[in-house]
Amino acid sequence: MTNQLPISYNDRTLFHLLRHFSLVNDNAIQCLIDRGYNQALIDENLQIPGSKFYDYFATDIKSLLLQCATIKETASFRQNGYLHLCYEFNAMKFPEGIGTLGIISLEALKSLTSNQPVLKKNRGHLLLHAAVSKLPITNLLTLVLKEQQTSNFLITAFPGSAALPLPSTKFSTEFNETCKLFWEQQVFLSLA
């Protein structure tokens, strides 16, 4: 690994990552409830469309990090203050993939059966969305970490290749423009 420090996280990280799991185990749910999250909010976040890990691959952050510990990352890079670690899992071990893709490029959408992409409000932005008959699968995984002195803090993890963050006024004008251009070419997927 590029940076050998341990990976740390907290309940906010786990809550954010609910959107990337198809199923979360009872211990993780209880951990969130013990820290003040209610079941309705947990269920709502589990239902957010997006790239999702299959339950046979990971059902919480601990099981996800254990999977990553079994192989070496295929790429790592730093972008906008974060370390990105990319992994590709063996298709022989995971013939059905490690999860589904909830976002793909406009170019890749052409190979799927889908409706015409439409702009919809998503996380405060007008972004392209399309309904597909079947979500594409992937064996790729990306971890995004904030490097610290004693650990790398997990910001997010998702099935699929590295992506740029949604545009934000917190970013430099140049990086924000790069993010806008990237997201103009991406499509959020849902099942038809």
Side-chain angles (χ1 to χ4, degrees):
M1 182 166 19
T2 303
N3 186 327
Q4 293 297 323
L5 293 174
I7 295 174
S8 62
Y9 54 91
N10 60 25
D11 58 296
R12 287 188 301 270
T13 311
L14 176 57
F15 182 72
H16 165 76
L17 282 179
L18 290 176
R19 68 188 64 194
H20 294 299
F21 290 107
S22 56
L23 176 78
V24 177
N25 67 48
D26 292 341
N27 287 340
I29 290 172
Q30 190 59 52
C31 172
L32 289 172
I33 290 170
D34 291 348
R35 285 167 179 78
Y37 296 90
N38 66 49
Q39 190 65 52
L41 196 55
I42 292 168
D43 292 342
E44 180 182 312
N45 277 270
L46 281 167
Q47 298 307 313
I48 292 174
S51 302
K52 296 197 183 268
F53 296 109
Y54 288 132
D55 61 353
Y56 60 75
F57 182 75
T59 58
D60 64 4
I61 294 173
K62 188 176 182 179
S63 59
L64 180 68
L65 295 178
L66 284 172
Q67 289 283 14
C68 293
T70 66
I71 66 170
K72 182 170 176 19
E73 74 268 7
T74 53
S76 65
F77 61 92
R78 287 171 178 79
Q79 178 182 70
N80 201 39
Y82 295 101
L83 174 63
H84 294 68
L85 300 179
C86 305
Y87 299 84
E88 183 168 4
F89 287 85
N90 187 318
M92 297 292 277
K93 185 174 178 184
F94 297 103
E96 299 297 317
I98 64 162
T100 58
L101 294 175
I103 300 169
I104 63 168
S105 69
L106 265 172
E107 188 61 35
L109 183 66
K110 293 175 185 174
S111 67
L112 300 177
T113 304
S114 74
N115 65 353
Q116 187 65 28
V118 294
L119 285 170
K120 286 187 190 176
K121 199 81 155 173
N122 185 328
R123 301 173 214 174
H125 299 275
L126 275 177
L127 301 168
L128 290 170
H129 289 73
V132 294
S133 56
K134 185 176 182 205
L135 292 171
I137 62 169
T138 186
N139 277 6
L140 302 176
L141 179 151
T142 299
L143 295 180
V144 180
L145 307 166
K146 181 71 173 170
E147 294 177 286
Q148 300 173 328
Q149 286 198 305
T150 58
S151 69
N152 289 322
F153 188 79
L154 180 64
I155 300 299
T156 193
F158 50 86
S161 53
L164 290 174
L166 290 172
S168 171
T169 54
K170 296 180 210 166
F171 302 149
S172 70
T173 305
E174 183 182 338
F175 186 67
N176 198 44
E177 200 53 39
T178 301
C179 293
K180 283 181 186 175
L181 292 172
F182 174 81
W183 284 102
E184 286 172 3
Q185 297 301 310
Q186 305 302 307
V187 183
F188 281 83
L189 303 177
S190 61
L191 287 173

Short mmCIF file of all heavy atoms in Angstrom, two decimals, residues 2-4 17 19 22-23 26 40 64-65 68 77 93 98-99 105 115 145-146 171 178:
data_model
loop_
_atom_site.label_atom_id
_atom_site.label_comp_id
_atom_site.label_asym_id
_atom_site.label_seq_id
_atom_site.Cartn_x
_atom_site.Cartn_y
_atom_site.Cartn_z
N THR A 2 0.41 2.28 -0.62
CA THR A 2 1.13 3.54 -0.72
C THR A 2 1.46 4.11 0.66
O THR A 2 2.52 4.63 0.89
CB THR A 2 0.26 4.56 -1.49
OG1 THR A 2 -0.04 3.98 -2.74
CG2 THR A 2 0.98 5.85 -1.69
N ASN A 3 0.55 4.00 1.58
CA ASN A 3 0.72 4.55 2.91
C ASN A 3 0.32 3.46 3.91
O ASN A 3 -0.83 3.08 3.95
CB ASN A 3 -0.16 5.80 3.06
CG ASN A 3 0.07 6.53 4.34
OD1 ASN A 3 0.36 5.92 5.36
ND2 ASN A 3 -0.09 7.83 4.30
N GLN A 4 1.26 2.98 4.70
CA GLN A 4 1.03 1.81 5.55
C GLN A 4 0.29 2.10 6.85
O GLN A 4 0.17 1.22 7.69
CB GLN A 4 2.38 1.14 5.86
CG GLN A 4 3.03 0.52 4.65
CD GLN A 4 2.22 -0.62 4.05
OE1 GLN A 4 1.59 -1.40 4.75
NE2 GLN A 4 2.18 -0.69 2.74
N LEU A 17 -21.60 5.56 4.45
CA LEU A 17 -21.40 4.38 3.61
C LEU A 17 -22.63 3.49 3.49
O LEU A 17 -22.65 2.58 2.65
CB LEU A 17 -20.20 3.57 4.09
CG LEU A 17 -18.84 4.15 3.70
CD1 LEU A 17 -17.72 3.30 4.23
CD2 LEU A 17 -18.72 4.29 2.20
N ARG A 19 -25.20 4.07 2.00
CA ARG A 19 -25.66 4.19 0.60
C ARG A 19 -24.89 3.28 -0.35
O ARG A 19 -25.30 3.11 -1.49
CB ARG A 19 -25.60 5.64 0.14
CG ARG A 19 -24.19 6.18 0.01
CD ARG A 19 -24.13 7.65 -0.24
NE ARG A 19 -24.68 8.35 0.90
CZ ARG A 19 -25.03 9.62 0.91
NH1 ARG A 19 -24.88 10.34 -0.17
NH2 ARG A 19 -25.52 10.18 1.98
N SER A 22 -25.54 -3.04 -0.11
CA SER A 22 -26.87 -3.58 -0.42
C SER A 22 -27.53 -4.10 0.85
O SER A 22 -28.75 -4.15 0.95
CB SER A 22 -26.79 -4.68 -1.48
OG SER A 22 -25.91 -5.70 -1.08
N LEU A 23 -26.70 -4.47 1.84
CA LEU A 23 -27.19 -4.95 3.13
C LEU A 23 -26.15 -4.61 4.19
O LEU A 23 -24.95 -4.75 3.92
CB LEU A 23 -27.39 -6.48 3.07
CG LEU A 23 -27.81 -7.16 4.36
CD1 LEU A 23 -29.30 -6.93 4.61
CD2 LEU A 23 -27.51 -8.65 4.30
N ASP A 26 -26.32 -6.55 11.41
CA ASP A 26 -27.00 -6.09 12.62
C ASP A 26 -26.07 -5.32 13.56
O ASP A 26 -26.48 -4.36 14.20
CB ASP A 26 -27.63 -7.26 13.37
CG ASP A 26 -28.80 -7.86 12.60
OD1 ASP A 26 -29.34 -7.19 11.70
OD2 ASP A 26 -29.16 -9.03 12.89
N ALA A 40 -35.40 4.66 10.96
CA ALA A 40 -35.98 5.24 9.74
C ALA A 40 -34.91 5.94 8.90
O ALA A 40 -34.87 5.80 7.67
CB ALA A 40 -37.10 6.22 10.10
N LEU A 64 -15.43 -4.84 4.69
CA LEU A 64 -14.92 -4.21 3.48
C LEU A 64 -13.40 -4.08 3.54
O LEU A 64 -12.68 -4.44 2.60
CB LEU A 64 -15.57 -2.84 3.30
CG LEU A 64 -15.15 -2.03 2.08
CD1 LEU A 64 -15.63 -2.70 0.82
CD2 LEU A 64 -15.70 -0.62 2.18
N LEU A 65 -12.89 -3.58 4.68
CA LEU A 65 -11.44 -3.41 4.83
C LEU A 65 -10.72 -4.76 4.88
O LEU A 65 -9.59 -4.87 4.39
CB LEU A 65 -11.14 -2.56 6.06
CG LEU A 65 -11.62 -1.11 5.99
CD1 LEU A 65 -11.30 -0.37 7.28
CD2 LEU A 65 -11.04 -0.39 4.78
N CYS A 68 -10.17 -5.73 1.33
CA CYS A 68 -9.08 -4.95 0.74
C CYS A 68 -7.72 -5.46 1.22
O CYS A 68 -6.73 -5.37 0.47
CB CYS A 68 -9.24 -3.47 1.06
SG CYS A 68 -10.67 -2.73 0.26
N PHE A 77 -3.40 7.31 -5.93
CA PHE A 77 -3.04 8.68 -6.30
C PHE A 77 -3.64 9.64 -5.29
O PHE A 77 -4.56 9.30 -4.56
CB PHE A 77 -3.50 9.00 -7.73
CG PHE A 77 -4.99 8.92 -7.93
CD1 PHE A 77 -5.80 10.05 -7.79
CD2 PHE A 77 -5.60 7.72 -8.28
CE1 PHE A 77 -7.18 9.96 -7.97
CE2 PHE A 77 -6.96 7.63 -8.45
CZ PHE A 77 -7.76 8.76 -8.30
N LYS A 93 -12.81 -15.33 -8.44
CA LYS A 93 -13.30 -15.40 -7.06
C LYS A 93 -14.69 -14.75 -6.94
O LYS A 93 -15.52 -15.20 -6.17
CB LYS A 93 -12.31 -14.70 -6.13
CG LYS A 93 -12.68 -14.83 -4.66
CD LYS A 93 -11.61 -14.24 -3.77
CE LYS A 93 -12.03 -14.36 -2.31
NZ LYS A 93 -11.09 -13.73 -1.40
N ILE A 98 -18.21 -7.64 -7.34
CA ILE A 98 -18.25 -7.31 -5.91
C ILE A 98 -19.41 -6.37 -5.61
O ILE A 98 -19.74 -6.14 -4.46
CB ILE A 98 -16.93 -6.69 -5.42
CG1 ILE A 98 -16.65 -5.36 -6.12
CG2 ILE A 98 -15.78 -7.69 -5.60
CD1 ILE A 98 -15.63 -4.50 -5.42
N GLY A 99 -20.00 -5.81 -6.67
CA GLY A 99 -21.12 -4.89 -6.48
C GLY A 99 -21.62 -4.35 -7.80
O GLY A 99 -21.14 -4.74 -8.87
N SER A 105 -20.44 6.47 -17.26
CA SER A 105 -20.27 7.58 -18.21
C SER A 105 -21.38 7.55 -19.26
O SER A 105 -21.98 6.49 -19.51
CB SER A 105 -18.91 7.48 -18.90
OG SER A 105 -18.89 6.36 -19.76
N ASN A 115 -33.50 4.18 -20.71
CA ASN A 115 -34.28 5.28 -21.26
C ASN A 115 -33.32 6.43 -21.54
O ASN A 115 -32.15 6.38 -21.21
CB ASN A 115 -35.41 5.68 -20.29
CG ASN A 115 -34.89 6.25 -18.98
OD1 ASN A 115 -33.69 6.26 -18.69
ND2 ASN A 115 -35.81 6.73 -18.16
N LEU A 145 -9.29 8.26 1.23
CA LEU A 145 -8.78 8.44 2.58
C LEU A 145 -8.21 9.84 2.78
O LEU A 145 -7.65 10.43 1.86
CB LEU A 145 -7.65 7.44 2.85
CG LEU A 145 -7.96 5.97 2.57
CD1 LEU A 145 -6.68 5.15 2.55
CD2 LEU A 145 -8.93 5.43 3.61
N LYS A 146 -8.35 10.34 4.00
CA LYS A 146 -7.70 11.59 4.41
C LYS A 146 -6.47 11.18 5.22
O LYS A 146 -6.60 10.56 6.27
CB LYS A 146 -8.65 12.45 5.25
CG LYS A 146 -8.05 13.76 5.69
CD LYS A 146 -7.91 14.69 4.52
CE LYS A 146 -7.48 16.08 4.97
NZ LYS A 146 -7.12 16.92 3.85
N PHE A 171 -14.04 24.08 -3.24
CA PHE A 171 -12.90 23.76 -4.09
C PHE A 171 -12.36 25.01 -4.76
O PHE A 171 -13.06 26.01 -4.89
CB PHE A 171 -13.30 22.75 -5.18
CG PHE A 171 -13.86 21.46 -4.68
CD1 PHE A 171 -14.80 20.77 -5.43
CD2 PHE A 171 -13.45 20.90 -3.48
CE1 PHE A 171 -15.33 19.56 -4.99
CE2 PHE A 171 -13.96 19.70 -3.03
CZ PHE A 171 -14.90 19.03 -3.78
N THR A 178 -13.29 21.44 -13.20
CA THR A 178 -12.95 20.07 -13.62
C THR A 178 -14.05 19.10 -13.15
O THR A 178 -14.48 18.23 -13.90
CB THR A 178 -11.58 19.65 -13.04
OG1 THR A 178 -10.59 20.57 -13.51
CG2 THR A 178 -11.20 18.24 -13.44
#
